[in-house]
Amino acid sequence: MNHNVYHSIAEKLPTMSKSHKKIAKFILENTNTVPFFTVAKMAKKAEVSEATVVRFAVQLGYSGYPELQQHMQNSVQQQLTTVERLQMSSQVYEGKEQGIYDIFQDDIENIKTTMGKLDISAFNNAVNAILNAKKVYISANRSAASLGVFLQYYLNIVLENTELIRSVEELPEQLYKLDSRDVVFGISFARYSSSTVKTMAFAKKQGAKTIVLTDNLLSPLVPNSDIVLTAASQVPTFIDSFAAPLSLINALVTHVGKERINDVDCHLEKMEEIWEQLGIFYQKGHEESNES
Amino acid sequence: MNHNVYHSIAEKLPTMSKSHKKIAKFILENTNTVPFFTVAKMAKKAEVSEATVVRFAVQLGYSGYPELQQHMQNSVQQQLTTVERLQMSSQVYEGKEQGIYDIFQDDIENIKTTMGKLDISAFNNAVNAILNAKKVYISANRSAASLGVFLQYYLNIVLENTELIRSVEELPEQLYKLDSRDVVFGISFARYSSSTVKTMAFAKKQGAKTIVLTDNLLSPLVPNSDIVLTAASQVPTFIDSFAAPLSLINALVTHVGKERINDVDCHLEKMEEIWEQLGIFYQKGHEESNES
DNA sequence: TGTATAATGAAATAAAAATTTCATAAATTT
DNA sequence: AAATTTATGAAATTTTTATTTCATTATACA
């Protein structure tokens, strides 16, 4: 168990006193700044006395505050060296860790590539098309379904008119009344799902506005689309990496949301009420209520 | 005016005395550790006296060593808190394009942060737990459902024993026979879904191995989990950004897959056949076959 | 509800860190 | 090379920071 400072704090959190919890919480929420704090500053920020801060450190098993601080500082230093090492990259790593970090590194590259190749006018067209749509249908299958779920969830919060199509089978019922005021958004990446390809072809034929998110312009989705967005998804393994496409979807949803800022605020408030009534989101304080 | 401490040190280096050069050089070569040093440590490391270290700080224009230290610490914090700064400052984006790129940039930062903070042993434990599981259940709701869908899709290709639980309602039927050889994988981020929290609490009580992917150690999922993985998801908008968590899931699936390399190959071959028969994936040449 | 126990903060004390002093040793100038 | 200036380190001093004490408040227990 290579428990670092923060893990051990988090672990002991439940058994801590009120003030100690305040300190623990503050530390865990500010891991980047806290290692620099003196006892006095820590006490002030966490709204407890200096004595309590010292007792906190001792209770965690350290000889005093300086020792706790030392451990937190090491954590920051490690963090930086890890990132730096990776930035420099090219260095050969030993063992398993290499592979883990490589995947993150690949995703960063994918996002950079996506950013670099982004067609801003296509992006803006997509935002406008979505904003003006009567209804937005999203077609995404297989692994890309995850992207579809994400896009649908947030677009629906903003627009309240978004639906997810999971396969061609359920397509006809949903889409037979499709017209030019609707938008169909297709998402598919290499080993393109034939279901999504067919859906887009159908949508196009019906005269709907079609947007696709895919990996490149050779994708079979392209011929049937009015607006093409591309995102990099290459990693040298058997899976697709969707970090970059997801980031692009983030940007898309954010910009649609920005245009609809007032509507969204209003809608979010309504949603808040409903969520609260249904207990959709976890609330502090209710935590131990159903335990012995 | 963007002169930070290190720039001004580098600038004045040529005019410095012997001992001061020693200090300056040491600082510039150890920007990550030096901000934590006391005068004494600094003196020892740079092989000069404490008095000289103090004089060095004064000569640079600071009131004393603590002020120099303060500036160096700010530098470290800035490195780490691009994301936080954005949240604080809530600067209004000017040009639209900048806003688009900022989102990608934030996601890159999120991935870097996630990478830096990754607990490798927790990661390896998660991989092993999944590999040894009789069955893997994934609990993910709301926006995090997208991550759940992705994880389930790929884990199922590798292991053939993965199921997605979408809400507590369908929980009892799936989980009543849960035992210690099963793994339950919970995914939830700020505004934690109470459904997922409850599911994890139940799983833990039943004695299953629990893994969670969440944003930090204060998450309500943590108390009910054996293995905790954290990923950054902060962007200064109304949505959660899942690029970093997704990247972490990529890494996880890849590593599980690597361990099962032979099984996976074999399984993928079988899947290929099935996919081909069902026409799941798009094939060149067949594209217009069922059109016009 | 009263009692025992634990937790807390203000202030005193101890410890550590930074700064200054001063004698000495390098440079620099003539 | 001698005189002057400048830089340096050991030790003393000052300042800052951490810890302990003790009276008070909050919490748990019976």
Side-chain angles (χ1 to χ4, degrees):
Chain A
M1 288 301 187
N2 73 342
H3 272 47
N4 70 20
V5 211
Y6 301 115
H7 280 111
S8 88
I9 291 174
E11 211 166 66
K12 287 163 191 162
L13 192 84
T15 68
M16 283 179 186
S17 73
K18 224 172 177 179
S19 302
H20 283 202
K21 267 182 187 161
K22 265 172 148 182
I23 300 171
K25 234 185 130 184
F26 187 84
I27 290 177
L28 293 176
E29 281 169 350
N30 298 278
T31 50
N32 296 330
T33 51
V34 148
F36 299 103
F37 285 12
T38 61
V39 171
K41 197 166 183 186
M42 184 77 227
K44 202 173 166 191
K45 289 278 185 176
E47 295 177 307
V48 298
S49 73
E50 302 189 8
T52 303
V53 172
V54 173
R55 290 191 199 105
F56 177 85
V58 173
Q59 201 137 317
L60 281 172
Y62 299 103
S63 66
Y65 182 78
E67 198 177 306
L68 166 62
Q69 192 183 37
Q70 182 70 46
H71 281 254
M72 298 193 296
Q73 291 181 353
N74 289 341
S75 215
V76 172
Q77 288 174 20
Q78 275 179 324
Q79 210 184 108
L80 285 168
T81 52
T82 310
V83 174
E84 262 177 322
R85 266 190 326 189
L86 289 163
Q87 281 175 332
M88 306 295 174
S89 78
S90 70
Q91 286 191 357
V92 184
Y93 297 66
E94 0 58 62
K96 277 187 183 174
E97 303 190 13
Q98 133 118 57
I100 300 173
Y101 292 127
D102 279 352
I103 289 174
F104 291 113
Q105 204 59 57
D106 284 338
D107 275 334
I108 289 174
E109 281 308 315
N110 279 332
I111 293 177
K112 282 185 183 167
T113 305
T114 301
M115 192 160 56
K117 290 186 178 166
L118 183 67
D119 179 340
I120 296 281
S121 80
F123 183 89
N124 287 326
N125 288 341
V127 171
N128 290 328
I130 290 168
L131 281 168
N132 297 322
K134 194 175 73 191
K135 187 139 189 166
V136 177
Y137 296 91
I138 298 166
S139 173
N141 294 282
R142 312 257 107 205
S143 56
S146 55
L147 294 173
V149 168
F150 185 84
L151 179 60
Q152 196 270 335
Y153 180 82
Y154 280 112
L155 272 191
N156 210 45
I157 284 182
V158 179
L159 301 170
E160 309 179 60
N161 65 352
T162 313
E163 233 174 84
L164 187 63
I165 305 159
R166 284 179 157 279
S167 70
V168 247
E169 281 68 43
E170 45 179 293
L171 188 151
E173 297 157 49
Q174 288 178 314
L175 299 191
Y176 76 101
K177 53 181 178 170
L178 214 58
D179 68 44
S180 66
R181 298 189 50 220
D182 292 315
V183 164
V184 181
F185 197 121
I187 309 175
S188 197
F189 288 77
R191 293 310 300 278
Y192 312 97
S193 148
S194 58
S195 193
T196 302
V197 176
K198 283 178 196 160
T199 303
M200 295 314 290
F202 178 79
K204 178 79 177 177
K205 213 171 79 183
Q206 295 289 45
K209 190 112 184 168
T210 50
I211 308 175
V212 303
L213 173 55
T214 188
D215 49 359
N216 64 47
L217 297 173
L218 295 173
S219 158
L221 294 183
V222 172
N224 292 313
S225 66
D226 299 316
I227 302 169
V228 181
L229 297 170
T230 57
S233 72
Q234 295 177 314
V235 277
T237 69
F238 67 99
I239 67 170
D240 296 313
S241 172
F242 287 155
L246 189 58
S247 203
L248 179 51
I249 290 175
N250 275 346
L252 206 57
V253 172
T254 303
H255 280 256
V256 170
K258 217 178 268 174
E259 297 290 325
R260 276 286 166 91
I261 188 86
N262 298 322
D263 300 9
V264 174
D265 275 355
C266 178
H267 186 209
L268 273 176
E269 271 170 40
K270 275 191 292 177
M271 296 281 271
E272 281 291 337
E273 273 178 49
I274 298 167
W275 284 340
E276 199 172 324
Q277 277 172 26
L278 297 178
I280 294 291
F281 288 114
Y282 172 86
Q283 307 215 315
K284 302 185 263 190
H286 297 247
E287 49 208 300
E288 253 83 45
S289 61
N290 53 355
E291 292 291 307
S292 60
Chain B
M1 279 296 275
N2 71 346
H3 269 49
N4 69 21
V5 213
Y6 302 114
H7 282 124
S8 88
I9 292 174
E11 211 166 65
K12 287 164 191 161
L13 193 90
T15 69
M16 284 179 184
S17 75
K18 221 172 176 180
S19 303
H20 283 203
K21 269 182 186 161
K22 264 171 148 181
I23 300 171
K25 238 185 126 183
F26 186 83
I27 290 178
L28 294 175
E29 282 169 352
N30 299 277
T31 52
N32 297 327
T33 50
V34 149
F36 299 104
F37 285 11
T38 62
V39 171
K41 197 165 181 186
M42 183 79 227
K44 202 175 165 190
K45 289 278 185 175
E47 296 180 304
V48 298
S49 72
E50 301 190 10
T52 303
V53 172
V54 174
R55 290 188 199 105
F56 176 85
V58 172
Q59 202 136 317
L60 280 173
Y62 299 104
S63 67
Y65 182 79
E67 198 178 304
L68 165 62
Q69 192 183 36
Q70 181 71 46
H71 281 256
M72 297 193 296
Q73 291 182 353
N74 288 342
S75 213
V76 173
Q77 288 175 20
Q78 275 180 328
Q79 256 182 76
L80 291 166
T81 61
T82 312
V83 176
E84 272 173 310
R85 276 207 331 260
L86 282 167
Q87 280 183 323
M88 306 288 178
S89 64
S90 70
Q91 286 185 355
V92 185
Y93 298 138
E94 339 76 51
K96 268 190 187 174
E97 303 189 13
Q98 191 50 49
I100 299 172
Y101 292 127
D102 281 349
I103 289 176
F104 291 113
Q105 206 60 56
D106 284 340
D107 275 334
I108 290 175
E109 282 305 317
N110 279 331
I111 293 177
K112 281 186 184 170
T113 304
T114 301
M115 189 160 60
K117 290 188 176 162
L118 183 67
D119 180 340
I120 296 280
S121 81
F123 182 90
N124 287 327
N125 287 341
V127 170
N128 289 329
I130 290 168
L131 282 168
N132 296 322
K134 196 176 71 192
K135 186 140 189 165
V136 178
Y137 296 91
I138 299 167
S139 173
N141 292 282
R142 314 256 106 205
S143 54
S146 54
L147 294 173
V149 168
F150 184 85
L151 179 60
Q152 195 271 334
Y153 179 82
Y154 281 111
L155 273 191
N156 209 45
I157 285 182
V158 179
L159 301 169
E160 309 179 62
N161 66 352
T162 313
E163 231 173 86
L164 187 62
I165 306 159
R166 285 182 157 276
S167 70
V168 244
E169 281 67 43
E170 48 179 290
L171 186 151
E173 298 158 49
Q174 287 180 314
L175 299 191
Y176 79 99
K177 52 180 177 169
L178 215 57
D179 68 46
S180 65
R181 298 191 49 220
D182 292 315
V183 165
V184 180
F185 197 121
I187 308 175
S188 197
F189 288 78
R191 293 309 301 279
Y192 310 97
S193 150
S194 58
S195 195
T196 303
V197 175
K198 283 179 198 158
T199 302
M200 296 313 290
F202 178 80
K204 177 80 177 178
K205 214 170 77 185
Q206 296 288 66
K209 190 112 187 168
T210 51
I211 307 175
V212 304
L213 173 55
T214 188
D215 48 359
N216 65 46
L217 297 173
L218 292 174
S219 159
L221 295 183
V222 172
N224 292 311
S225 65
D226 299 317
I227 301 170
V228 181
L229 298 170
T230 57
S233 71
Q234 297 177 314
V235 278
T237 69
F238 67 99
I239 67 171
D240 297 313
S241 171
F242 287 156
L246 188 59
S247 203
L248 180 50
I249 291 176
N250 274 346
L252 205 58
V253 172
T254 304
H255 279 256
V256 170
K258 219 176 266 176
E259 296 291 323
R260 278 285 165 88
I261 187 88
N262 298 323
D263 300 8
V264 174
D265 275 357
C266 178
H267 185 208
L268 274 176
E269 271 171 39
K270 275 190 293 175
M271 297 280 275
E272 281 292 340
E273 273 179 47
I274 298 167
W275 285 338
E276 196 172 329
Q277 276 171 26
L278 297 177
I280 295 291
F281 288 114
Y282 171 86
Q283 307 213 313
K284 293 186 272 187
H286 298 245
E287 48 210 302
E288 251 84 45
S289 61
N290 55 352
E291 289 295 304
S292 84

